[in-house]
Amino acid sequence: MFSRSFLTTLLLSSLVAARVVPASNGSCTNPVVRKEWRELTDGEKAEYIRAAVCLRGLPSEKYAEIEAVTTRMDELVWTHSTLQPQIHFVANFLPWHRWYLQLHEDLLRTECGFKGTQPYWDWSIDADAQNMPNSPIFDPVTGFGGDGKLTGSTVPGFGRCVVDGPFANTNLTIAMGWPDMNVRGNRLHCFTREFNSAEGSDENGVTIIGDMQVTAYNSRVMNTIYGFDNFEGMVMMLEGLPHAQIHSVIFGDMGPSTSPNEPLFFLHHANVDRAWAKWQGRNATRLSDYSGFNDAAETVSASIDDEMPILELGEVQPIVKDYMDTQAGPLCYTYTDST
Ligand SMILES: *[C@@H]1O[C@H](CO)[C@@H](O)[C@H](O)[C@H]1NC(C)=O
Ligand SMILES: *[C@@H]1O[C@H](CO)[C@@H](O)[C@H](O)[C@H]1NC(C)=O
Ligand SMILES: *[C@@H]1O[C@H](CO)[C@@H](O)[C@H](O)[C@H]1NC(C)=O
Ligand SMILES: [Cu+2]
């Protein structure tokens, strides 16, 4: 899409404006603790939401040539969406998203004065309770608002919107592609969700919410994932089952490759990252267990020394091996273990 020299020029010019600093300089003696959403005080929840709203409103500094990128958040969304086939269902899925989460958390701190730590959403708690649509994560006051509602609007992209919570009725520009999910563009639409159990619609055309497929992400599934003895088997199930189903049952902006538009993306991926960290157990064997392929066609074998693609989003090209341990290199955090 872009020539290498073009990208290099952009990377060099963005070095001057470098503002994102790594959370750690390599000596992680006092890791910050990422907590489950329910473990936060209401004050801590409000502080995270404040910062997440803030990041959506800041003007972009990168991707000047891309018309659809107008905010700091758009830069994250654009990068994830453009790289989609290079970072999903390939070996780097977990380390890439670990890097991305850290970058987002650093942005919340440096750009929006965030004082807390990235929370995670342990959806297996809601799955075990068989009460996913009523998860406290969707609370209109202390959470992220709930399902989208039909608005009666006939304007494309405005027919179904999230109408409660801190992100209600906000407009997004990088499209999730209504009416075509697979075509990305610079399309104005309201922030939306469309809870579903992948069972289609009833006779009135209303989406069937059902149980939201809780058997795909309950603690039973997670225990099966923790039972794998190798990275490839573990990640295949983690990405393919609970990770993918959470995107799919919330749907709307959470569905397509522009899913970082959905603020829950970061809490969802923090939980996916927690599952990997938990599986690793800071066990020396598992901290270096990395294998698979860099392409969907499985022609290029992955190596722990691989650089990960980031387009213009960062100043330093991250290397997989620096993202294996959450308490070493550029990282310095740990997770509470809610389940
Ligand atoms: C890393 O950071 C710690 C804590 O701020 C500091 O004490 C230490 O000197 C730093 N080390 C290097 C190599 O910069
Ligand atoms: C979102 O866009 C719609 C359609 O252009 C507009 O009517 C509405 O005022 C916008 N809302 C916000 C919060 O900017
Ligand atoms: C790490 O875990 C593996 C798999 O359970 C085990 O075989 C190995 O002995 C462990 N290594 C260390 C250093 O604890
Ligand atoms: Cu992703």
Side-chain angles (χ1 to χ4, degrees), residues 158 169-171 188:
F158 290 90
N169 301 313
T170 48
N171 284 337
L188 189 69

Side-chain angles (χ1 to χ4, degrees), residues 228-229 279-280 282-286:
F228 278 93
D229 63 5
W279 179 82
Q280 289 178 311
R282 301 206 76 220
N283 159 321
T285 309
R286 292 188 173 187

Side-chain angles (χ1 to χ4, degrees), residues 51-84:
V53 170
C54 162
L55 200 56
R56 282 199 179 202
L58 296 178
S60 62
E61 297 181 350
K62 298 174 181 182
Y63 298 111
E65 73 286 6
I66 311 290
E67 198 194 343
V69 176
T70 63
T71 69
R72 292 299 260 167
M73 204 51 229
D74 290 342
E75 296 171 356
L76 284 133
V77 174
W78 178 264
T79 307
H80 181 269
S81 178
T82 305
L83 291 173
Q84 143 42 53

Side-chain angles (χ1 to χ4, degrees), residues 217-261:
Y217 50 91
N218 60 18
S219 56
R220 213 183 135 140
V221 168
M222 298 315 293
N223 287 335
T224 305
I225 289 166
Y226 297 137
F228 278 93
D229 63 5
N230 65 86
F231 176 80
E232 270 186 270
M234 182 276 298
V235 67
M236 192 175 299
M237 184 162 175
L238 176 59
E239 181 176 12
L241 195 57
H243 159 261
Q245 287 307 319
I246 291 293
H247 280 283
S248 147
V249 300
I250 293 175
F251 209 55
D253 280 301
M254 186 63 149
S257 65
T258 50
S259 52
N261 267 324

Side-chain angles (χ1 to χ4, degrees), residues 98 230-231 276 279-291 302-305 320-325:
R98 181 171 275 180
N230 65 86
F231 176 80
W276 181 29
W279 179 82
Q280 289 178 311
R282 301 206 76 220
N283 159 321
T285 309
R286 292 188 173 187
L287 285 178
S288 59
D289 186 359
Y290 179 76
S291 58
S303 153
I304 202 166
D305 295 314
V320 170
K321 69 172 182 313
D322 292 336
Y323 290 83
M324 296 298 289
D325 187 352

Side-chain angles (χ1 to χ4, degrees), residues 111 126 153 174 206:
E111 308 282 311
D126 302 300
S153 170
I174 300 179
V206 178

Side-chain angles (χ1 to χ4, degrees), residues 80 87-88 93 96-97 243 259 265 269:
H80 181 269
I87 56 175
H88 300 101
F93 170 73
W96 192 92
H97 286 79
H243 159 261
S259 52
F265 173 97
H269 269 275

Side-chain angles (χ1 to χ4, degrees), residues 84-134:
Q84 143 42 53
Q86 297 170 63
I87 56 175
H88 300 101
F89 295 103
V90 291
N92 72 21
F93 170 73
L94 287 171
W96 192 92
H97 286 79
R98 181 171 275 180
W99 164 82
Y100 187 72
L101 279 182
Q102 185 63 59
L103 179 117
H104 173 259
E105 188 177 351
D106 291 344
L107 281 172
L108 292 179
R109 292 213 179 88
T110 57
E111 308 282 311
C112 290
F114 179 52
K115 300 284 184 254
T117 304
Q118 175 64 47
Y120 65 91
W121 169 28
D122 184 354
W123 15 255
S124 73
I125 297 172
D126 302 300
D128 289 352
Q130 302 200 334
N131 201 12
M132 178 69 164
N134 297 310

